[in-house]
Amino acid sequence: MASTGVKDFYRQKKKGGVAKTSSSSKKKTGASVGASNPAQMPALISHGSLDLEDDFSEQEEQLRQFDLDMKFGPCIGVNRLQRWERASAMGLQPPPHLRDLLTHASSVKNRNTQCLWEGKI
Amino acid sequence: MERKQADYGTQDERYMIQGERYQGQQYSHIYFTRLHHMRTLLHALVPSRNPNVPVTTVLGLEEGKDCVLVGTLFKHMKLKPSILDEYSKERSVVPLVKPHNFMHPEDNLILEDESGRVALAGAIPPAAYVTGVVVALHGKETSAGNFLVEDVLEAGLPPQTLLPSINEDKYVVFVSGLSVGSSTFNPLQFQLLIDHITGHLGDENEQTVASKIVRVVVAGNSVHIAPRYLNGQTVAAKDQPRIAEPIKELDIMLTQLVASLPVDIMPGCNDPANFSLPQQPLHRCLFSGASTYNTFSSCPNPHEFELDNVKFLGTSGQNIDDLYKYSDAKDRLEFMERTLTWRHLAPTAPNSLGCYPYTDKDPFLVESCPHVYFVGNQDRYESRLLQGSEKQQVRLISIPRFCDTGIAVMLNLRNLECTTLSFSTSFDS
């Protein structure tokens, strides 16, 4: 267990420049400020996954904006697809392309299905 | 003599927790769905009550501007017990023995929606409201930063289907608080009730009346298990059968009833069911005798059903008892009336009443007005015919505890008239 943890932490090749500038060029919202910190000690992560920059894509940004939109209700405690379905059933008209994102992405990456606070609160 | 029958249908699906999956969510979701649902309703009603007044959110309030706000009420109560009182450094005014009613003259109301909260003042008496009620308020923001209320717009009674015309007398008997197994339980009194309903008592006139009883509804607290067995300590092997005795005795008595007519049994706060609302139906294995009959129906609390198209809605009393703790009214029926006007059976859930943390619905919202609204385990029998603003008519029934009063309630489906069946085993009362 320890060796794989160390391997993930000390990346073999630098991701550096490209990812960093793309995240900082976006408008600074509350979500992205916390997320763009690359130096995270494994000891400080309780049971969430490592928050690496390369997972912070344009799609994730859109999903995070969806999470934080008060119109659709609280985001903690339900997964994103459930929240989308609930918003849709209430007639709040959540953006339809997000639903496609969620149903497609859930098979690719596990993390997109949960809201941005999942495992951190 | 043939017993009369009535067509029965339940609408209890909304109270069943079977399909729900708990993912660690908290109560914010149930408050959100409640606010959303009620707000949509109130927004539709505001134009007829307060035309030309803009509707705004808390964050959009402007000082001095007349507007309508819709949000959830929160009542800040000084005497409300808080878990943090145990940890407070100074000994506060809160007494160790809990008062039955937590009201205080300094209680104040706050209105909350997704954007923020605002303190309320003016024509909204805190004593009449509780946390969790969604209302529309007409008023304006003052320079002091609170919202001065001119008028309160409650949702009012929901729409009601027309009462069907039934041309013969058919009766429904309500009983609650049987408390089999408690020291106040009188088996003879309960037996008298059963014998009367099944037609084994009285002459032909009495039997004719009894033959018109189509259903019995037992509204909670049917058993009472001595608290010393339920305090978390291991029960000695010789005492273990004692826990099951009240339930077995209830089963024997119920079997006599179900052999004769359909019975609905609801759980109450003392029954072996889950604590939080909606209480799930008592398990069939508890009633090894009665559950073999198809006339036996174990129902959740709250319970919603229809008999010959007459709509019934009722609880075992927890919702009204909780309102009594946190607000004031002239009688229990007034609390019941308020829950219908607010269109919510248990507004204090989940604040002070245990409740399941639903994520996408609030099952206690009353969407269609019942014809009969009953509440069990109350101190006294009370009944009133409530008239709504759109010709709704609701028979409100407060069912007293049978073990204390020996009173069961009989309702006539034809005209919604209510009478009592009183049983006594002593000659001097």
Side-chain angles (χ1 to χ4, degrees), chain B residues 44 104 107 127 139 172 211 228 239 350:
Chain B
H104 192 275
D107 292 338
V172 178
S211 73
R228 65 175 183 277
D239 286 334

Side-chain angles (χ1 to χ4, degrees), chain A residues 72-74 76 78 82 86 90, chain B residues 23 28-29 32-33 36 359:
Chain A
F72 305 118
I76 304 178
V78 277
Q82 275 180 333
R86 175 181 79 186
M90 284 187 181
Chain B
Q23 309 154 69
S28 51
H29 304 276
F32 170 68
T33 48
H36 182 264
T359 53

Side-chain angles (χ1 to χ4, degrees), chain B residues 176 219 315-318 321 374-378 397-401:
Chain B
S176 78
T315 67
S316 301
Q318 292 102 322
D321 291 342
F374 63 92
V375 165
N377 296 297
Q378 301 303 304
I397 310 177
S398 154
I399 311 168
R401 283 182 289 270

Side-chain angles (χ1 to χ4, degrees), chain B residues 28 85 113 122-123 196 238 242 245 251 262 273 284 297 302 385:
Chain B
S28 51
D85 290 340
D113 68 10
H196 175 86
K238 66 170 168 59
R242 295 263 194 91
E245 265 164 26
D251 186 33
R284 296 172 66 88
S297 250
L385 198 59

Side-chain angles (χ1 to χ4, degrees), chain B residues 150-164:
Chain B
E150 229 177 287
D151 191 24
V152 181
L153 172 61
E154 293 166 345
L157 259 57
Q160 190 184 56
T161 57
L162 205 57
L163 183 68

